[in-house]
Amino acid sequence: MEVKVYRVRGIFQRGKLKQPFTKEYRALKPEHVEELVYSEIGSKHRVPRTKIWIESIEEISPEEAENPVVRRLSLEL
């Protein structure tokens, strides 16, 4: 299986404030990315999974990645 780069867009609610987010991850499947989003945002911002809404998960090429760590890891292969 090949590791791909995904871009995730969504919103999470903390108190009364809704905060949009965009994240990039390397994973095998979109389901793995979804779990990473819930885990990272929930841990970092103390938000339960029911307050995190994922709007889109799209596969992108490594050259399109804006996160320098994801880009570097993907292009080194």
Side-chain angles (χ1 to χ4, degrees), residues 3-68:
V3 177
K4 300 173 185 167
V5 179
Y6 293 93
R7 181 175 290 144
V8 182
R9 295 181 197 278
I11 298 171
F12 68 89
Q13 182 175 351
R14 188 169 180 190
K16 294 183 180 185
L17 178 69
K18 289 190 177 181
Q19 181 71 38
F21 66 87
T22 301
K23 298 274 189 186
E24 294 172 344
Y25 296 99
R26 296 179 72 231
L28 295 174
K29 300 188 228 177
E31 294 83 18
H32 296 163
V33 173
E34 186 176 341
E35 188 62 33
L36 285 168
V37 169
Y38 287 136
S39 177
E40 183 179 319
I41 292 178
S43 175
K44 191 179 283 186
H45 297 285
R46 296 288 183 222
V47 178
R49 290 173 178 239
T50 57
K51 302 282 183 170
I52 302 170
W53 298 281
I54 296 173
E55 295 172 345
S56 67
I57 299 176
E58 59 183 321
E59 184 180 337
I60 61 172
S61 67
E63 293 82 20
E64 292 179 58
E66 295 174 5
N67 183 331

